[in-house]
Amino acid sequence: MTSTSPTTGPDRWHHFGASSHGRRSISRLHWDWYQRIGPGAELLGDLAGRTVAELGAGAGHQAAYVAAELGAARVTAIDSSAAQHTRSRDFYGDVYGLEFVHSDAADHLQTHPGSLDVAYSIFGALDFSDPQSLLPSAAMALRPGGTLVFSTLAHYRTGAPPETECRPADIPTRMPDGRPGTMQRWVLEASVWKELLDEHGFDVVHGDTVHDPGRYGEAPVATTLFRARTKRRSGAPSPAQLPSPCRRGQVCGR
């Protein structure tokens, strides 16, 4: 399935999408920078029959794995890049239960309140969107008690320390016409993320840092992981009072 909404400005991910190497099968979900150590899909919890969204899905490899292997009823792969959206749809358009959305993540979440059980980001939209806009949008889209899981850089790739307040840095990229350009990335100290999550409607359930010293000349990289749940809104029903999500093969709404 494909849903498209317009985005503005030049596609700063154009060359990343154009250079994607094609469909590939992954054997497990990774959250760390080099995609090889640390926890896996267990951070998402039991997804059987649940509605899930990946925020900044890129080429769609992780979203396809979640849809095909983890039993989710529906997985929505959201990306603001036209190139990445097209590539992911071409690679995985045949995966059952996987929907592709070309949109700014915050915009899409705001227009689909209460539609999700789980949202996650692996160096995705939460790295490249203002968290003061994206986090409240995610809280709005998640049902009461819904889960948000994300991984982000614990420091800059240069080794410089993270920001101690919520502000982005300009990092280099290549524009669609090949000229050098910049895009914004939020590399924040873990304590800043915790404050932002609390401020925008989340309770932190799990926080961790995964350190990879690098191999064969690679730079060492530390990844910050968070698992959080939406706070109960005043007057909101408890999860036990909500209707059960549709599971595959069920006819719902009766």
Side-chain angles (χ1 to χ4, degrees):
M1 298 175 64
T2 302
S3 175
T4 304
S5 65
T7 56
T8 58
D11 185 355
R12 287 171 167 79
W13 293 92
H14 174 84
H15 292 284
F16 291 90
S19 64
S20 296
H21 297 300
R23 181 170 180 150
R24 62 184 173 91
S25 176
I26 62 175
S27 59
R28 60 160 286 182
L29 203 64
H30 286 95
W31 302 90
D32 64 296
W33 181 258
Y34 289 121
Q35 299 285 284
R36 62 192 178 202
I37 62 173
E42 66 272 13
L43 287 183
L44 296 174
D46 182 6
L47 296 185
R50 303 295 177 183
T51 56
V52 182
E54 181 171 359
L55 314 180
H61 305 309
Q62 288 88 357
Y65 174 82
V66 172
E69 302 296 336
L70 301 184
R74 185 181 74 249
V75 178
T76 303
I78 307 168
D79 207 285
S80 62
S81 164
Q84 294 282 51
H85 169 73
T86 298
R87 289 281 175 166
S88 62
R89 182 189 57 195
D90 290 346
F91 295 159
Y92 300 108
D94 61 340
V95 175
Y96 180 84
L98 179 57
E99 175 187 18
F100 300 94
V101 173
H102 175 217
S103 175
D104 174 80
D107 289 348
H108 179 79
L109 295 172
Q110 288 169 17
T111 57
H112 293 78
S115 62
L116 297 173
D117 297 301
V118 177
Y120 70 96
S121 173
I122 303 175
F123 304 104
L126 272 163
D127 273 32
F128 297 97
S129 304
D130 186 348
Q132 296 186 94
S133 173
L134 186 51
L135 286 175
S137 300
M140 182 186 302
L142 286 163
R143 298 185 177 100
T147 299
L148 173 68
V149 185
F150 65 96
S151 62
T152 184
L153 287 172
H155 54 78
Y156 286 99
R157 294 292 314 283
T158 61
E163 304 294 337
T164 57
E165 58 186 77
C166 185
R167 62 185 177 196
D170 289 330
I171 63 170
T173 189
R174 195 153 49 111
M175 306 301 279
D177 62 5
R179 291 182 297 110
T182 62
M183 58 183 172
Q184 292 187 320
R185 185 171 203 156
W186 278 257
V187 180
L188 309 178
E189 197 172 77
S191 61
V192 179
W193 281 115
K194 289 178 182 177
E195 291 174 4
L196 288 166
L197 287 163
D198 179 68
E199 178 183 351
H200 295 298
F202 290 94
D203 289 319
V204 175
V205 177
H206 173 82
D208 197 7
T209 303
V210 177
H211 296 270
D212 191 322
R215 304 174 187 170
Y216 313 114
E218 295 170 338
V221 178
T223 299
T224 298
L225 302 176
F226 278 106
R227 185 173 191 261
R229 286 201 182 100
T230 53
K231 297 178 180 180
R232 284 284 305 280
R233 294 183 286 273
S234 177
S238 68
Q241 295 173 303
L242 294 172
S244 299
C246 295
R247 298 180 184 272
R248 293 184 183 182
Q250 285 185 324
V251 178
C252 299
R254 294 184 178 179

